[in-house]
Amino acid sequence: MKLSGEDLLLGKILKGLPDSKDLVLGPGDDCAVVRIKSGLLLLKTDCLVENIHFLRKEDPKRAGWKALCRPLSDIAAMGGKPLHALITLFSPPELDPAYWEEFYKGIRKAARKFGVTIAGGEMSRQPCGLAVSVALTGSVSKRFAPRSGGSSGDVLFVTGELGGSLAGHHLDFVPRLKEGQWLTTSGFANAMMDLSDGLGSDLPRLARASGCGFDVHLDRIPLRRGSDVQAGLTDGEDYELLFAVSPNKSSQLVQKWKSAFPRVRLTDIGTLNGTGSAPQNWPGGWDHFTVVRTTRLGQRSREPAGKPRRQRGGQ
Amino acid sequence: MKLSGEDLLLGKILKGLPDSKDLVLGPGDDCAVVRIKSGLLLLKTDCLVENIHFLRKEDPKRAGWKALCRPLSDIAAMGGKPLHALITLFSPPELDPAYWEEFYKGIRKAARKFGVTIAGGEMSRQPCGLAVSVALTGSVSKRFAPRSGGSSGDVLFVTGELGGSLAGHHLDFVPRLKEGQWLTTSGFANAMMDLSDGLGSDLPRLARASGCGFDVHLDRIPLRRGSDVQAGLTDGEDYELLFAVSPNKSSQLVQKWKSAFPRVRLTDIGTLNGTGSAPQNWPGGWDHFTVVRTTRLGQRSREPAGKPRRQRGGQ
């Protein structure tokens, strides 16, 4: 009996996936069937589009790693533990199937590292270009930190460094799963999100969901080498955590963080306030449907060293 | 505080979705959070690509209906009950947002009809064209019917009629959820799948998974008006159920079906056999990666009326 091209390729790339006790029915049927415990389930879908999130000439293994790690970063922002993934490949028919085999090596590497069960995969022809869509499930305790959990006065923290992701970080980043779990189970994070579009547009989302405005010390924003404040705010694809902590807990957090994650930078960048609006001249970050950013922190000029501007909300 | 274009559009199209008790955290956060009971969970992802599964000039409401109903047809094939959906829209930036608002009307209509909670939505720019990816969860009893559940001697049935879907059925079909649930809870279906690529390529998948070959009476294949056998086998997008029933249960099934689903045609088309291979000259159905079908039932010539060919497996 002859296997069709799609069946053959899927069979090949889905072969050798790590076994999982809770996977009752894996790739190859109409649906995946998984065994699940009562409680809260996280659901997330995320996509990777050629020429937006990756280039075809880039290493497909790294692009595959990124495809799974992007939604894992969202699971991290909820303090969750990833469980299952379903992966849809949109492929031009002329593309060498070897591309997807390499791509899947990156997916498998991330799946192994972060304990994700690949429960299913699908493929569709798309004449115009490559795209990948990943759907994830995860488990989470009742103490998850939604974007809406912040209050006026909460201290804002970010992990790691921001800006300049396009130089490589966007293909190799490690989703902050451990940090996210620690921040929610310890009760430090009231509100949390991952930074994918850039602090400039992501922070307003968290503040708005929490019914707050915010103050940010621009000179405190932790920057990747070679990045300026504008880049740190608007480049996007940082995949770091942004979270809000009650003011009476913030110094305790800083202390405990050092021993829990000695190699991960943690920075207090400002506070949520009661104004319910963004600081004047706050730069919008990357937005897929806004080609020209309406507000800019100067024409992408370098922020003069030693002359930080403090942005105040509600003015 | 200014909302970006993507946030605004998503806010608009995700507004007014039916409430759901089990939706703890809906659209707008990093992940959706849903409350879930212990047991088996179905996971399915499916995509719709412009110029493959729909045309831009077609009614976006019907395309939206199809986007949700396609993976619902897979849930049906497991005998499952759909629970949650996450929907990813890939959109060229120049597309009028009104398109997606109309598209979502079709999604909402299907969600209401089949009891699906839209738990999240996402949007990405895709310069080259429209696509949609839908991820679904569902619940299912232990008595689900995987493709691999068939045995030699089982009788093969299909619901409804096959062929000619492109004339309209592919945009308006009703996923066989009730029928699928009935077939599994009643214990009739040993193996089941939905027909999306055409009986010609889907039946070999079910047979192969069950370790069987098959015999099909080509003259019995139920055809949509205007379709011939070739169309019934290879057009695809039928979204009917194909299932295998133990021979000692098949006449009981036919009887009970008539009172359970008096308006849905049920046809015995053949049997699984022990050969483990497809009949000679069995036509391959639609495959995304096979441009030229390698085996054909003649050069798409009309099958002469009154001269049915019985295909035998393993020859």
Side-chain angles (χ1 to χ4, degrees):
Chain A
M1 204 175 294
K2 213 165 180 174
L3 279 176
S4 66
E6 184 182 334
D7 286 348
L8 275 172
L9 179 55
L10 275 177
K12 207 165 178 181
I13 60 184
L14 290 172
K15 205 170 58 182
L17 291 172
D19 272 345
S20 160
K21 282 180 301 180
D22 65 355
L23 186 62
V24 178
L25 192 65
D29 220 295
D30 292 272
C31 299
V33 183
V34 298
R35 198 169 280 116
I36 209 110
K37 284 182 198 154
S38 287
L40 297 183
L41 190 74
L42 297 176
L43 300 174
K44 174 66 192 174
T45 183
D46 186 66
C47 60
L48 217 65
V49 177
E50 185 181 6
N51 297 330
I52 305 270
H53 304 103
F54 71 109
L55 303 172
R56 207 181 295 200
K57 67 178 183 188
E58 284 166 343
D59 180 359
K61 273 202 294 287
R62 293 171 78 197
W65 170 272
K66 177 177 181 174
L68 192 54
C69 286
R70 266 172 58 96
L72 285 175
S73 181
D74 291 284
I75 300 274
M78 306 300 288
K81 184 182 169 301
L83 296 173
H84 317 99
L86 299 172
I87 292 157
T88 305
L89 308 176
F90 298 85
S91 182
E94 78 282 0
L95 184 72
D96 183 351
Y99 180 91
W100 291 119
E101 291 177 42
E102 283 300 298
F103 193 94
Y104 246 81
K105 285 183 189 165
I107 289 180
R108 272 201 291 266
K109 188 179 166 194
R112 265 194 306 272
K113 185 166 174 68
F114 303 111
V116 181
T117 301
I118 309 283
E122 211 218 351
M123 201 150 211
S124 176
R125 186 170 58 152
Q126 178 170 261
C128 66
L130 279 68
V132 181
S133 174
V134 176
L136 275 184
T137 65
S139 62
V140 72
S141 82
K142 285 177 192 166
R143 299 184 73 167
F144 69 87
R147 294 182 184 183
S148 58
S151 305
S152 174
D154 279 4
V155 183
L156 294 166
F157 287 90
V158 292
T159 60
E161 294 168 340
L162 311 184
S165 177
L166 210 62
H169 177 72
H170 78 111
L171 289 170
D172 302 315
F173 70 93
V174 175
R176 300 289 190 195
L177 285 160
K178 280 184 199 163
E179 293 86 347
Q181 286 164 26
W182 186 87
L183 283 165
T184 47
T185 53
S186 64
F188 279 119
N190 296 332
M192 186 152 62
M193 72 183 295
D194 84 310
L195 294 174
S196 54
D197 290 346
L199 188 69
S201 56
D202 284 334
L203 173 49
R205 289 181 178 134
L206 183 140
R208 193 165 53 238
S210 294
C212 293
F214 55 89
D215 297 315
V216 165
H217 303 273
L218 291 180
D219 56 332
R220 284 201 206 149
I221 293 173
L223 300 173
R224 194 175 306 283
R225 194 178 299 194
S227 295
D228 58 10
V229 174
Q230 173 73 23
L233 287 168
T234 62
D235 279 358
E237 303 227 47
D238 300 306
Y239 306 108
E240 296 293 348
L241 295 176
L242 165 69
F243 56 98
V245 177
S246 302
N248 61 346
K249 287 185 183 172
S250 69
S251 57
Q252 196 195 354
L253 162 68
V254 172
Q255 239 179 351
K256 291 203 168 179
W257 182 273
K258 275 179 194 159
S259 56
F261 305 105
R263 300 169 73 178
V264 180
R265 192 166 162 186
L266 181 69
T267 312
D268 152 7
I269 58 162
T271 50
L272 292 176
N273 67 33
T275 63
S277 63
Q280 245 186 345
N281 300 323
W282 181 257
W286 169 259
D287 182 84
H288 292 153
F289 286 81
T290 309
V291 175
V292 180
R293 297 190 189 106
T294 47
T295 328
R296 274 176 175 274
L297 228 177
Q299 288 304 308
R300 208 176 170 85
S301 59
R302 298 280 175 263
E303 193 67 8
K307 199 187 150 204
R309 266 157 68 189
R310 182 162 186 200
Q311 305 261 354
R312 275 205 66 85
Q315 297 179 330
Chain B
M1 204 177 291
K2 216 169 177 175
L3 279 175
S4 66
E6 184 182 336
D7 286 348
L8 275 172
L9 179 56
L10 276 176
K12 208 164 177 180
I13 60 184
L14 290 172
K15 205 169 59 181
L17 291 173
D19 272 344
S20 160
K21 281 180 302 178
D22 64 355
L23 186 62
V24 179
L25 191 65
D29 221 295
D30 292 273
C31 297
V33 183
V34 298
R35 197 169 282 116
I36 209 108
K37 284 183 198 153
S38 287
L40 298 183
L41 190 74
L42 297 175
L43 300 175
K44 175 65 192 176
T45 184
D46 186 66
C47 61
L48 215 66
V49 177
E50 186 182 4
N51 298 329
I52 306 272
H53 304 102
F54 71 110
L55 304 171
R56 208 181 293 199
K57 66 178 183 185
E58 284 167 341
D59 180 358
K61 275 201 293 289
R62 293 172 78 196
W65 169 274
K66 177 176 181 174
L68 191 55
C69 287
R70 267 171 58 95
L72 285 175
S73 181
D74 291 284
I75 300 275
M78 306 300 288
K81 185 182 168 299
L83 296 173
H84 316 99
L86 299 172
I87 292 157
T88 305
L89 308 177
F90 299 85
S91 181
E94 77 282 0
L95 185 72
D96 183 351
Y99 181 90
W100 291 120
E101 292 177 41
E102 284 301 298
F103 192 94
Y104 247 81
K105 285 183 190 167
I107 290 181
R108 272 202 290 267
K109 187 178 166 193
R112 267 194 305 273
K113 186 166 174 68
F114 303 111
V116 181
T117 301
I118 309 282
E122 211 218 350
M123 201 149 209
S124 177
R125 187 169 58 152
Q126 178 169 261
C128 65
L130 278 70
V132 181
S133 175
V134 176
L136 275 184
T137 66
S139 61
V140 72
S141 82
K142 285 177 191 166
R143 300 184 73 167
F144 69 88
R147 295 183 184 183
S148 58
S151 304
S152 173
D154 279 3
V155 183
L156 293 166
F157 287 91
V158 292
T159 60
E161 294 167 342
L162 311 184
S165 177
L166 210 61
H169 177 73
H170 77 112
L171 289 171
D172 302 316
F173 69 93
V174 174
R176 300 288 189 197
L177 285 160
K178 280 183 200 164
E179 294 85 349
Q181 286 163 27
W182 185 87
L183 284 164
T184 47
T185 52
S186 65
F188 278 119
N190 296 333
M192 185 152 61
M193 71 183 297
D194 84 311
L195 294 173
S196 54
D197 289 346
L199 188 69
S201 57
D202 285 334
L203 173 50
R205 290 180 178 135
L206 184 140
R208 193 166 54 236
S210 294
C212 293
F214 56 90
D215 296 315
V216 165
H217 303 273
L218 291 179
D219 55 332
R220 284 202 207 150
I221 292 173
L223 300 174
R224 193 174 306 282
R225 192 178 300 193
S227 295
D228 58 10
V229 173
Q230 173 74 23
L233 287 168
T234 61
D235 279 357
E237 303 227 48
D238 300 306
Y239 306 109
E240 296 292 349
L241 295 175
L242 164 70
F243 55 98
V245 177
S246 302
N248 61 347
K249 287 186 184 172
S250 68
S251 57
Q252 196 195 356
L253 162 69
V254 172
Q255 239 179 351
K256 291 204 169 181
W257 181 273
K258 274 178 195 158
S259 56
F261 305 103
R263 300 167 72 178
V264 181
R265 192 166 162 184
L266 181 69
T267 312
D268 151 7
I269 58 163
T271 49
L272 291 177
N273 67 33
T275 62
S277 63
Q280 243 185 350
N281 300 323
W282 181 256
W286 168 260
D287 182 83
H288 293 151
F289 287 81
T290 309
V291 177
V292 180
R293 297 191 188 103
T294 46
T295 327
R296 277 175 173 270
L297 226 177
Q299 288 303 308
R300 208 176 170 85
S301 59
R302 299 281 175 265
E303 193 67 8
K307 199 188 150 201
R309 266 158 67 188
R310 184 164 185 197
Q311 305 263 353
R312 275 206 64 88
Q315 297 179 332

